[in-house]
Amino acid sequence: MAGAIIENMSTKKLVIVGVILLLFQAFSFMVGGLIAPSPTTAVHYLATKCVDTVKHHQSTKWFMPWGPNQCDKIRDFDEAMAKKIEANNIVFAVHIPLPNKEMSPWFQFMLVILQFDIAFKMYNQIEDGALATIDVGLAYRDDTLSEWTEMAHSIEQRKLSCNFTTTKTYENEGRYYECDLLPFMELGNVAHKYYLLNIRLPVSERKKINMGIGEIKDIRLVGIHQNGGFTKVWFAMKTFLTPSILIIMVWYWRRITLMTRPPVLLEKVIFALGLCMTFINIPVEWFSVGFNWTWMLLFGDIRQGIFYAMLLSFWIIFCGEHLMMERNHFSIYWKQVGPIVFGSFCLFIFDMCERGVQLKNPFYSIWASDVGTELAMAFIIVAGICACLYFLFLCFMVFQVFRNISGKRSSLPAMSKARRLHYEGLIFRFKFLMLVTLTCAAMTVIFFIISQVNEGHWHWGDYTVQVNSAFFTGIYGMWNLYVFAIMFLYAPSHKRYGDEQSSGDAGASGEDIQLTTTITHVDGPTEIYKMTGKEAQE
């Protein structure tokens, strides 16, 4: 009976394959650590205070902070009061990027964070639960001579969360509050060279607009975008890995179809894992360099969510099929796979509630409201807890598999030395693969938690998680190498163990003793090998 490649390949060849995969894994870390720059760059901007006179006040007018057509500027609000300029006629202008620089489609996305510089005044303090109403417009152009084209306009509200660390006395007037960063804008594509933000803070006592928000002195923005150098390395990895996984997947399925039986559950799941890996590998991001596809961030999240769901489900089924209980039935895994699918669906809904809406309004943020912030924080916390619980459950399943194998090892001492060494080698190979699976799961869970925290840290304060390029490229390379190894090692082997054995062994009969499982036998994933009672007495 033919077995899997992991069962029949010689130890020497298996070690060579393992070393090659290990070298590629090390290379994937070095690509990020030695070649690629940091994944993202943060650029700080200070808004320029422009004056919009009444006779020129119109919604289509754009105010440039510098350059040949720069606006009329004031230094501070004291100058505005001296010139009798009303707050409604002041426009905070921010040009992205800084002078003599250009934005690039290689930056992939742009996230903008806002922070108010608010001075303490006894007669104008920040009220509890104060809301800042922001009238903001976004425009773009691709050269310094053309007119600005409006890209988005919205009136948004952001809740101020500020603390004054000293006593509120007249002596401390002029000191600044410590205010949290506020989510402001997110673009899923950076298709233009220059962007211009015009921000107004309209004041209306009758409508209670922007009352009780303190004395705002300045507006600071932080623009975050992906580094172009990292993007090129990332695209190169995807372009290189896509054909390698596609080729091994076609080769694997061809070997499955050449067998005389229909594919079993574990074979189908391995093939589905290869499909999901190929789906996330396909470098469609190359098109985002030439096309203004603002939905690329959302599409990337959906692809990654599908892969996460498939990978987590695969590990459950992979361990379950080796527990020597009822096998080859997907229905018995619904209690484990069901929560994974439900969690992935919740992740999709959460993503659509923010990035889906941002396709129409880039200034929208689920973090802008109290309810949205609580939901987002709860999601991040619950997702982290669920990821840890999943890993613990997977460890328990691996422990059960190892315990079942150990219970069957009692049959080995009765065998001949050659057969005992062969079977002990198979058990070692299988255990080693299970430990590699557990390591891959641990790294995936860590990467998921850190990526969620890293995405949310701008929204809840100064706490920052630095995730370097080596971690991104290393984990991505690990996923591809793991899927490659699984499809290669669990493909049916043309080599048959025992061909060199006597024909008497082939006709042995007696009670079968199952030690572990694979996927290559007629009745499905039943065993790597069977030892009859007669063989055990050799």
Side-chain angles (χ1 to χ4, degrees), residues 156-190:
E156 299 290 331
Q157 287 187 329
R158 297 292 187 267
K159 184 177 180 181
L160 299 180
S161 180
C162 302
N163 293 317
F164 194 65
T165 55
T166 58
T167 56
K168 296 181 178 181
T169 60
Y170 285 101
E171 290 76 13
N172 291 323
E173 282 192 341
R175 292 178 178 267
Y176 286 92
Y177 287 89
E178 293 183 359
C179 296
D180 290 346
L181 301 171
L182 301 173
F184 187 59
M185 182 185 75
E186 185 168 13
L187 295 178
N189 185 268
V190 187

Short mmCIF file of all heavy atoms in Angstrom, two decimals, residues 156-190:
data_model
loop_
_atom_site.label_atom_id
_atom_site.label_comp_id
_atom_site.label_asym_id
_atom_site.label_seq_id
_atom_site.Cartn_x
_atom_site.Cartn_y
_atom_site.Cartn_z
N GLU A 156 -17.80 66.67 10.36
CA GLU A 156 -17.59 65.60 11.32
C GLU A 156 -17.56 66.13 12.74
O GLU A 156 -17.31 67.32 12.98
CB GLU A 156 -16.27 64.87 11.03
CG GLU A 156 -16.20 64.23 9.65
CD GLU A 156 -17.11 63.03 9.53
OE1 GLU A 156 -17.36 62.36 10.56
OE2 GLU A 156 -17.58 62.76 8.41
N GLN A 157 -17.81 65.24 13.68
CA GLN A 157 -17.70 65.56 15.10
C GLN A 157 -16.71 64.62 15.76
O GLN A 157 -16.69 63.43 15.49
CB GLN A 157 -19.06 65.44 15.80
CG GLN A 157 -20.03 66.56 15.46
CD GLN A 157 -21.29 66.51 16.30
OE1 GLN A 157 -21.74 65.44 16.70
NE2 GLN A 157 -21.87 67.66 16.59
N ARG A 158 -15.87 65.19 16.60
CA ARG A 158 -14.90 64.42 17.35
C ARG A 158 -15.00 64.82 18.82
O ARG A 158 -14.98 66.02 19.16
CB ARG A 158 -13.47 64.67 16.84
CG ARG A 158 -13.22 64.24 15.39
CD ARG A 158 -13.28 62.74 15.26
NE ARG A 158 -12.89 62.29 13.93
CZ ARG A 158 -13.76 62.06 12.95
NH1 ARG A 158 -15.06 62.27 13.15
NH2 ARG A 158 -13.33 61.63 11.77
N LYS A 159 -15.08 63.82 19.68
CA LYS A 159 -15.16 64.08 21.12
C LYS A 159 -13.77 64.36 21.67
O LYS A 159 -12.83 63.60 21.44
CB LYS A 159 -15.78 62.89 21.84
CG LYS A 159 -15.97 63.12 23.33
CD LYS A 159 -16.65 61.93 23.99
CE LYS A 159 -16.84 62.18 25.48
NZ LYS A 159 -17.48 61.02 26.16
N LEU A 160 -13.65 65.46 22.42
CA LEU A 160 -12.37 65.83 23.00
C LEU A 160 -12.13 65.05 24.29
O LEU A 160 -13.04 64.93 25.12
CB LEU A 160 -12.31 67.33 23.28
CG LEU A 160 -12.46 68.26 22.07
CD1 LEU A 160 -12.38 69.72 22.51
CD2 LEU A 160 -11.40 67.97 21.02
N SER A 161 -10.93 64.54 24.43
CA SER A 161 -10.52 63.86 25.66
C SER A 161 -9.22 64.50 26.11
O SER A 161 -8.14 64.12 25.66
CB SER A 161 -10.36 62.37 25.42
OG SER A 161 -9.96 61.71 26.60
N CYS A 162 -9.33 65.52 26.97
CA CYS A 162 -8.17 66.32 27.37
C CYS A 162 -8.05 66.36 28.88
O CYS A 162 -9.06 66.35 29.60
CB CYS A 162 -8.28 67.74 26.83
SG CYS A 162 -8.43 67.86 25.02
N ASN A 163 -6.84 66.41 29.35
CA ASN A 163 -6.55 66.53 30.78
C ASN A 163 -5.64 67.72 31.01
O ASN A 163 -4.71 67.97 30.22
CB ASN A 163 -5.87 65.26 31.31
CG ASN A 163 -6.81 64.06 31.29
OD1 ASN A 163 -7.98 64.17 31.65
ND2 ASN A 163 -6.30 62.93 30.82
N PHE A 164 -5.91 68.45 32.10
CA PHE A 164 -5.03 69.55 32.50
C PHE A 164 -4.31 69.10 33.75
O PHE A 164 -4.91 68.90 34.80
CB PHE A 164 -5.84 70.82 32.75
CG PHE A 164 -5.00 72.05 32.84
CD1 PHE A 164 -4.28 72.51 31.74
CD2 PHE A 164 -4.90 72.77 34.03
CE1 PHE A 164 -3.51 73.65 31.82
CE2 PHE A 164 -4.12 73.91 34.12
CZ PHE A 164 -3.42 74.35 33.01
N THR A 165 -2.99 68.89 33.63
CA THR A 165 -2.24 68.20 34.68
C THR A 165 -1.93 69.09 35.88
O THR A 165 -1.56 68.57 36.93
CB THR A 165 -0.93 67.66 34.10
OG1 THR A 165 -0.20 68.73 33.47
CG2 THR A 165 -1.22 66.59 33.04
N THR A 166 -2.06 70.40 35.73
CA THR A 166 -1.79 71.29 36.87
C THR A 166 -3.10 71.88 37.37
O THR A 166 -4.17 71.64 36.81
CB THR A 166 -0.83 72.42 36.44
OG1 THR A 166 -1.39 73.15 35.35
CG2 THR A 166 0.51 71.84 36.01
N THR A 167 -3.01 72.66 38.45
CA THR A 167 -4.21 73.26 39.02
C THR A 167 -4.75 74.34 38.09
O THR A 167 -4.00 75.07 37.44
CB THR A 167 -3.90 73.87 40.39
OG1 THR A 167 -2.82 74.80 40.27
CG2 THR A 167 -3.51 72.78 41.38
N LYS A 168 -6.05 74.43 38.04
CA LYS A 168 -6.71 75.41 37.17
C LYS A 168 -6.82 76.76 37.88
O LYS A 168 -7.81 77.07 38.54
CB LYS A 168 -8.09 74.89 36.75
CG LYS A 168 -8.03 73.64 35.90
CD LYS A 168 -9.42 73.18 35.48
CE LYS A 168 -9.35 71.94 34.59
NZ LYS A 168 -10.69 71.49 34.16
N THR A 169 -5.76 77.54 37.75
CA THR A 169 -5.70 78.87 38.34
C THR A 169 -5.30 79.88 37.27
O THR A 169 -4.86 79.52 36.18
CB THR A 169 -4.68 78.92 39.49
OG1 THR A 169 -3.37 78.59 38.98
CG2 THR A 169 -5.05 77.92 40.59
N TYR A 170 -5.46 81.17 37.62
CA TYR A 170 -5.09 82.22 36.67
C TYR A 170 -3.61 82.20 36.34
O TYR A 170 -3.20 82.56 35.24
CB TYR A 170 -5.49 83.59 37.22
CG TYR A 170 -6.98 83.86 37.15
CD1 TYR A 170 -7.79 83.71 38.27
CD2 TYR A 170 -7.58 84.24 35.95
CE1 TYR A 170 -9.15 83.94 38.21
CE2 TYR A 170 -8.94 84.49 35.88
CZ TYR A 170 -9.72 84.33 37.00
OH TYR A 170 -11.08 84.56 36.93
N GLU A 171 -2.79 81.76 37.33
CA GLU A 171 -1.36 81.70 37.09
C GLU A 171 -0.99 80.69 36.01
O GLU A 171 0.06 80.83 35.34
CB GLU A 171 -0.61 81.36 38.39
CG GLU A 171 -0.62 82.45 39.44
CD GLU A 171 -1.95 82.55 40.17
OE1 GLU A 171 -2.78 81.60 40.01
OE2 GLU A 171 -2.18 83.57 40.86
N ASN A 172 -1.81 79.68 35.83
CA ASN A 172 -1.51 78.63 34.85
C ASN A 172 -2.21 78.84 33.52
O ASN A 172 -2.20 77.95 32.66
CB ASN A 172 -1.90 77.26 35.41
CG ASN A 172 -1.00 76.83 36.55
OD1 ASN A 172 0.21 77.09 36.52
ND2 ASN A 172 -1.57 76.19 37.57
N GLU A 173 -2.82 79.98 33.33
CA GLU A 173 -3.45 80.26 32.04
C GLU A 173 -2.39 80.28 30.94
O GLU A 173 -1.28 80.80 31.13
CB GLU A 173 -4.20 81.59 32.07
CG GLU A 173 -5.56 81.52 32.76
CD GLU A 173 -6.38 82.76 32.51
OE1 GLU A 173 -5.78 83.79 32.13
OE2 GLU A 173 -7.61 82.73 32.68
N GLY A 174 -2.73 79.73 29.81
CA GLY A 174 -1.78 79.66 28.69
C GLY A 174 -1.10 78.32 28.57
O GLY A 174 -0.55 78.00 27.51
N ARG A 175 -1.12 77.55 29.66
CA ARG A 175 -0.58 76.19 29.55
C ARG A 175 -1.54 75.33 28.71
O ARG A 175 -2.73 75.59 28.64
CB ARG A 175 -0.42 75.57 30.94
CG ARG A 175 0.66 76.22 31.79
CD ARG A 175 0.72 75.56 33.17
NE ARG A 175 1.76 76.11 34.01
CZ ARG A 175 2.99 75.62 34.10
NH1 ARG A 175 3.30 74.54 33.40
NH2 ARG A 175 3.88 76.17 34.89
N TYR A 176 -0.99 74.28 28.13
CA TYR A 176 -1.78 73.46 27.20
C TYR A 176 -2.34 72.22 27.88
O TYR A 176 -1.71 71.63 28.75
CB TYR A 176 -0.92 73.05 26.00
CG TYR A 176 -0.66 74.18 25.03
CD1 TYR A 176 0.47 74.99 25.15
CD2 TYR A 176 -1.56 74.44 23.99
CE1 TYR A 176 0.70 76.03 24.25
CE2 TYR A 176 -1.33 75.47 23.09
CZ TYR A 176 -0.21 76.26 23.22
OH TYR A 176 0.02 77.29 22.34
N TYR A 177 -3.53 71.89 27.45
CA TYR A 177 -4.12 70.61 27.85
C TYR A 177 -3.35 69.47 27.19
O TYR A 177 -2.73 69.64 26.14
CB TYR A 177 -5.58 70.52 27.41
CG TYR A 177 -6.56 71.38 28.19
CD1 TYR A 177 -6.83 72.69 27.80
CD2 TYR A 177 -7.24 70.86 29.28
CE1 TYR A 177 -7.75 73.47 28.48
CE2 TYR A 177 -8.16 71.63 29.97
CZ TYR A 177 -8.41 72.93 29.57
OH TYR A 177 -9.32 73.70 30.26
N GLU A 178 -3.41 68.31 27.80
CA GLU A 178 -2.91 67.09 27.17
C GLU A 178 -4.10 66.37 26.56
O GLU A 178 -4.92 65.80 27.25
CB GLU A 178 -2.20 66.19 28.19
CG GLU A 178 -0.90 66.79 28.72
CD GLU A 178 -0.19 65.85 29.67
OE1 GLU A 178 -0.74 64.74 29.92
OE2 GLU A 178 0.88 66.21 30.16
N CYS A 179 -4.19 66.41 25.23
CA CYS A 179 -5.35 65.87 24.52
C CYS A 179 -4.96 64.61 23.75
O CYS A 179 -3.86 64.50 23.20
CB CYS A 179 -5.91 66.91 23.55
SG CYS A 179 -6.56 68.39 24.38
N ASP A 180 -5.89 63.66 23.72
CA ASP A 180 -5.67 62.42 22.98
C ASP A 180 -5.70 62.68 21.49
O ASP A 180 -6.33 63.62 21.00
CB ASP A 180 -6.74 61.39 23.33
CG ASP A 180 -6.60 60.85 24.75
OD1 ASP A 180 -5.53 61.09 25.36
OD2 ASP A 180 -7.55 60.22 25.24
N LEU A 181 -5.02 61.80 20.77
CA LEU A 181 -5.07 61.86 19.31
C LEU A 181 -6.46 61.47 18.84
O LEU A 181 -7.12 60.61 19.43
CB LEU A 181 -4.03 60.91 18.71
CG LEU A 181 -2.56 61.17 19.09
CD1 LEU A 181 -1.69 60.03 18.61
CD2 LEU A 181 -2.09 62.48 18.49
N LEU A 182 -6.90 62.08 17.74
CA LEU A 182 -8.23 61.83 17.22
C LEU A 182 -8.13 61.26 15.80
O LEU A 182 -7.37 61.77 14.98
CB LEU A 182 -9.06 63.12 17.18
CG LEU A 182 -9.28 63.82 18.53
CD1 LEU A 182 -9.96 65.17 18.31
CD2 LEU A 182 -10.11 62.96 19.46
N PRO A 183 -8.88 60.20 15.50
CA PRO A 183 -8.89 59.70 14.11
C PRO A 183 -9.51 60.75 13.21
O PRO A 183 -10.52 61.38 13.55
CB PRO A 183 -9.77 58.45 14.20
CG PRO A 183 -10.65 58.67 15.39
CD PRO A 183 -9.81 59.45 16.37
N PHE A 184 -8.92 60.96 12.05
CA PHE A 184 -9.37 62.06 11.20
C PHE A 184 -9.72 61.60 9.78
O PHE A 184 -10.80 61.88 9.27
CB PHE A 184 -8.30 63.14 11.15
CG PHE A 184 -8.73 64.41 10.45
CD1 PHE A 184 -9.83 65.11 10.89
CD2 PHE A 184 -8.05 64.87 9.34
CE1 PHE A 184 -10.25 66.27 10.24
CE2 PHE A 184 -8.45 66.01 8.68
CZ PHE A 184 -9.55 66.71 9.13
N MET A 185 -8.81 60.88 9.12
CA MET A 185 -9.04 60.54 7.72
C MET A 185 -8.25 59.28 7.35
O MET A 185 -7.17 59.05 7.89
CB MET A 185 -8.62 61.71 6.81
CG MET A 185 -8.87 61.47 5.32
SD MET A 185 -8.21 62.81 4.29
CE MET A 185 -6.45 62.45 4.36
N GLU A 186 -8.80 58.49 6.44
CA GLU A 186 -8.08 57.34 5.92
C GLU A 186 -8.42 57.14 4.45
O GLU A 186 -9.59 57.05 4.08
CB GLU A 186 -8.42 56.06 6.71
CG GLU A 186 -7.57 54.87 6.28
CD GLU A 186 -7.69 53.69 7.22
OE1 GLU A 186 -8.61 53.70 8.08
OE2 GLU A 186 -6.87 52.76 7.12
N LEU A 187 -7.39 57.09 3.63
CA LEU A 187 -7.54 56.84 2.20
C LEU A 187 -6.98 55.45 1.90
O LEU A 187 -5.88 55.11 2.32
CB LEU A 187 -6.79 57.89 1.38
CG LEU A 187 -7.29 59.34 1.45
CD1 LEU A 187 -6.40 60.24 0.61
CD2 LEU A 187 -8.73 59.44 0.99
N GLY A 188 -7.73 54.67 1.13
CA GLY A 188 -7.29 53.33 0.77
C GLY A 188 -6.36 53.28 -0.42
O GLY A 188 -5.91 52.21 -0.82
N ASN A 189 -6.04 54.45 -0.99
CA ASN A 189 -5.15 54.50 -2.13
C ASN A 189 -4.56 55.91 -2.22
O ASN A 189 -5.26 56.89 -1.92
CB ASN A 189 -5.90 54.15 -3.42
CG ASN A 189 -4.98 54.09 -4.63
OD1 ASN A 189 -4.79 55.08 -5.33
ND2 ASN A 189 -4.40 52.92 -4.87
N VAL A 190 -3.29 56.00 -2.59
CA VAL A 190 -2.64 57.31 -2.73
C VAL A 190 -2.33 57.49 -4.22
O VAL A 190 -1.21 57.27 -4.67
CB VAL A 190 -1.36 57.40 -1.87
CG1 VAL A 190 -0.79 58.81 -1.90
CG2 VAL A 190 -1.64 56.97 -0.44
#
